[in-house]
């Protein structure tokens, strides 16, 4: 078998020695500073770089690599990930990888360049941009900050000065705090204080968190947070999630106890004999906690189902309203209205109407008897006077309880 005819690796790529002469594409891996990026159809190069296929394409300036060749053919690259959109900002550093695909292995055209996520220069999830030292775009005080970064230090902004150009809409903030990581944690952090932590119970860390007081070492917990709490510490110091202080949170626990303090802790509907649920800050075990300024549960097509093995407790500092266009049904053994200590029983309306109808017949006869009442040949004035009045009252009551839907009964509320 001739080795020159054998193929290795991808089946359509032939490694023979008959390739045409190609322009040297430069290094296979090199560093670059992002100068621009296509994010939408308003970018001036949107159409020329492939329309919607150009989204995420960056333009860059190569950074000198000792011992490497900085002469590259193109100055644009695409994200290497198709399902992870972690696009860099202007001024951030990325690693460029040259990948030769089937379409240009025998071509003298530009190589296909892809970029990896931004380089972690500052150890900051907010941004890791370094201004181009060849462009005087910062005041002297900040130029010194960034020069120190390039020398291996970390920039510490204390005056809230953020003149670096990171794009057309991105505004640098100096109070976006990174999350503190514990052993084994997997954390995804956005640039604005939004994060997902796949963590666990950590019993004796050097810096405590607020979910490890209960449970066993390594018990899983997942925390989704959007919008961090306001702190007075410097922006580069890490922090932990705070379910009471962060803007919106979802906690999925296994054995942990999370110190959530509810907005309303009214429990007047419970008596000493009722089974009450533990307060959120006391309960330990698997649970899902949602905390935000407002919660909306909306079922677009079907239903919202609330099911509990013990209790469903609705508590509000002002009011609880229930509206329905058709009907509201409560099927239970006992219903207390107004107070848990309510002791007066409700009247069954239909049964009461039947009893009233019996009484009306007797009252009609009594009213006629009173009207014509005599003691021998002499009328009895007291009874003769009250007879017509009683007859009129009986007539009105008779009208009120007449028909299949008596006027004295509610058309909407029914009881058992």
């Amino acid at each position: 078998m001739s080795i020159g005819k054998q193929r290795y690796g991808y089946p359509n790529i032939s490694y023979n020695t008959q390739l045409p002469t190609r322009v040297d594409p430069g290094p296979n891996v090199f560093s670059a500073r992002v100068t621009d990026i296509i994010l939408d159809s308003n970018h001036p190069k949107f159409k020329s770089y492939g329309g919607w296929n150009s989204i995420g394409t960056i333009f860059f300036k190569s950074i000198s690599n000792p011992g490497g060749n900085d002469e590259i053919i193109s100055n644009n690259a695409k994200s290497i990930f198709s399902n992870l959109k972690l696009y860099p900002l202007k001024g951030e550093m990325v690693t460029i990888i040259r990948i030769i695909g089937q379409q240009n292995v025998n071509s003298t055209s530009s190589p296909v360049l892809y970029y990896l996520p931004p380089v972690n220069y500052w150890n900051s999830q907010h941004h890791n941009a370094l201004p181009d030292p060849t462009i005087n775009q910062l005041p002297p005080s900040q130029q010194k900050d960034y020069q120190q970064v390039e020398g291996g230090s970390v920039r510490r902004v204390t005056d809230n000065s953020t003149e670096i150009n990171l794009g057309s809409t991105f505004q640098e903030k100096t109070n976006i705090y990174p999350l503190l990581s514990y052993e084994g944690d997997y954390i995804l952090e956005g640039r604005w204080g939004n994060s997902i932590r796949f963590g666990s119970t950590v019993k004796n860390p050097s810096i405590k968190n607020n979910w490890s007081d209960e449970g066993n070492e390594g018990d899983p917990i997942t925390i989704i947070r959007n919008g961090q709490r306001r702190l007075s510490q410097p922006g580069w110091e890490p922090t932990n999630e705070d379910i009471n202080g962060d803007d919106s949170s979802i906690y999925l626990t296994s054995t942990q106890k999370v110190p959530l303090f509810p907005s309303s802790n009214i429990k007047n509907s419970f008596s000493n004999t009722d089974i009450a649920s533990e307060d959120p800050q006391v309960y330990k075990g698997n649970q899902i906690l949602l905390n935000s300024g407002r919660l909306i549960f909306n079922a677009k097509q079907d239903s919202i189902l609330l099911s509990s093995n013990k209790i469903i407790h609705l508590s509000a500092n002002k009011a609880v309203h229930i509206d329905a266009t058709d009907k509201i049904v409560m099927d239970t053994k006992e219903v207390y209205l107004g107070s848990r200590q309510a002791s007066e029983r409700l009247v069954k309306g239909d049964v009461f109407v039947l009893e009233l109808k019996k009484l009306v017949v007797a009252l009609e006869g009594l009213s006629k008897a009173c009207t014509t009442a005599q003691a021998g040949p002499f009328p009895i004035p007291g009874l003769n006077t009250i007879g017509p009045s009683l007859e009129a009252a009986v007539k009105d009551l008779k009208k009120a309880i007449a028909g299949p839907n008596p006027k004295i009964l509610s058309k909407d509320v029914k009881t058992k």
Side-chain angles (χ1 to χ4, degrees):
M1 178 183 294
S2 173
I3 295 179
K5 295 181 181 180
Q6 189 174 4
R7 294 183 177 183
Y8 299 90
Y10 293 102
N12 292 328
I13 299 180
S14 176
Y15 291 85
N16 56 56
T17 58
Q18 305 301 319
L19 295 179
T21 303
R22 293 185 289 127
V23 178
D24 182 8
N28 290 332
V29 180
F30 59 94
S31 299
R33 175 180 282 107
V34 178
T35 59
D36 200 2
I37 182 171
I38 301 176
L39 291 176
D40 55 46
S41 57
N42 294 319
H43 194 281
K45 297 182 179 180
F46 173 77
K47 290 184 178 180
S48 60
Y49 277 80
W52 290 110
N53 288 333
S54 69
I55 298 298
T57 298
I58 65 167
F59 302 91
F60 59 83
K61 181 178 180 182
S62 178
I63 300 173
S64 178
N65 290 317
N69 179 14
D70 277 348
E71 297 299 324
I72 60 174
I73 294 176
S74 64
N75 69 335
N76 62 86
K78 300 173 69 69
S79 173
I80 198 169
F81 298 112
S82 61
N83 57 350
L84 175 62
K85 293 178 173 57
L86 180 54
Y87 297 146
L89 299 169
K90 289 182 180 180
E92 287 189 320
M93 307 298 180
V94 295
T95 299
I96 306 292
I97 300 176
R98 180 172 65 89
I99 298 178
I100 298 179
Q102 177 184 352
Q103 72 277 12
N104 63 2
V105 68
N106 297 326
S107 171
T108 59
S109 62
S110 299
V112 180
L113 301 180
Y114 293 91
Y115 64 87
L116 295 172
V119 177
N120 184 22
Y121 262 102
W122 294 5
N123 200 32
S124 169
Q125 82 285 3
H126 185 48
H127 82 80
N128 287 276
L130 283 174
D132 191 340
T134 64
I135 303 176
N136 187 17
Q137 56 178 321
L138 295 174
S141 61
Q142 288 197 36
Q143 287 182 13
K144 181 180 179 181
D145 286 337
Y146 287 104
Q147 289 170 0
Q148 290 174 343
V149 174
E150 290 179 326
S153 301
V154 178
R155 181 171 181 250
R156 301 298 191 215
V157 180
T158 57
D159 59 358
N160 291 325
S161 298
T162 57
E163 287 85 356
I164 182 174
N165 178 20
L166 299 169
S168 59
T169 62
F170 190 98
Q171 298 295 319
E172 180 182 6
K173 293 185 177 182
T174 58
N175 61 346
I176 302 296
Y177 310 100
L179 283 180
L180 186 67
S181 181
Y182 297 91
E183 292 179 358
D185 282 358
Y186 176 30
I187 299 177
L188 300 175
E189 289 190 80
R191 297 182 185 267
W192 305 105
N194 38 9
S195 60
I196 302 176
R197 179 195 294 268
F198 299 96
S200 67
T201 296
V202 187
K203 298 300 293 184
N204 295 299
S206 56
I207 299 179
K208 288 180 62 65
N209 56 56
N210 59 12
W211 62 82
S212 294
D213 290 340
E214 298 290 342
N216 301 312
E217 198 87 44
D219 289 341
I221 186 171
T222 300
I223 301 175
I224 303 174
R225 176 199 63 163
N226 185 70
Q228 62 186 15
R229 58 180 169 154
R230 280 58 176 170
L231 299 171
S232 58
Q233 67 190 46
W236 59 84
E237 292 185 6
T239 185
N240 279 320
E241 299 90 338
D242 184 335
I243 193 170
N244 297 295
D246 296 333
D247 290 343
S248 298
S249 303
I250 300 176
Y251 281 59
L252 295 88
T253 72
S254 57
T255 61
Q256 297 82 9
K257 180 175 68 175
V258 180
L260 170 65
F261 294 94
S263 300
S264 171
N265 203 28
I266 301 173
K267 294 184 176 180
N268 296 336
S269 61
F270 292 87
S271 71
N272 295 332
T273 59
D274 290 328
I275 300 175
S277 59
E278 290 185 291
D279 291 337
Q281 65 271 23
V282 175
Y283 182 84
K284 54 185 178 181
N286 53 62
Q287 61 177 328
I288 298 176
L289 298 97
L290 296 90
N291 190 41
S292 187
R294 184 179 183 183
L295 298 178
I296 298 177
F297 298 91
N298 181 60
K300 292 169 56 178
Q301 296 180 350
D302 198 74
S303 309
I304 293 177
L305 306 178
L306 297 178
S307 176
S308 172
N309 188 45
K310 291 185 177 180
I311 301 168
I312 294 178
H313 178 208
L314 301 178
S315 177
N317 286 325
K318 291 188 177 181
V320 175
H321 293 251
I322 301 176
D323 295 305
T325 57
D326 189 4
K327 57 187 174 182
I328 296 174
V329 179
M330 291 189 295
D331 185 359
T332 184
K333 184 178 179 181
E334 292 181 292
V335 177
Y336 292 82
L337 299 176
S339 170
R340 180 61 181 84
Q341 287 72 41
S343 59
E344 292 293 326
R345 290 177 290 179
L346 294 180
V347 174
K348 294 182 178 182
D350 291 290
V351 175
F352 184 57
V353 166
L354 290 176
E355 298 302 322
L356 282 178
K357 287 181 178 180
K358 297 177 185 178
L359 180 62
V360 163
V361 174
L363 290 176
E364 280 183 320
L366 179 60
S367 66
K368 292 178 181 179
C370 289
T371 303
T372 60
Q374 291 180 321
F378 303 101
I380 303 176
L383 294 177
N384 298 152
T385 303
I386 200 173
S389 299
L390 179 58
E391 184 178 4
V394 170
K395 186 178 180 180
D396 291 339
L397 179 58
K398 193 174 181 179
K399 289 181 180 180
I401 62 176
N405 294 304
K407 185 172 63 175
I408 65 171
L409 297 182
S410 171
K411 295 180 181 180
D412 305 319
V413 181
K414 295 179 175 64
T415 187
K416 183 178 180 181

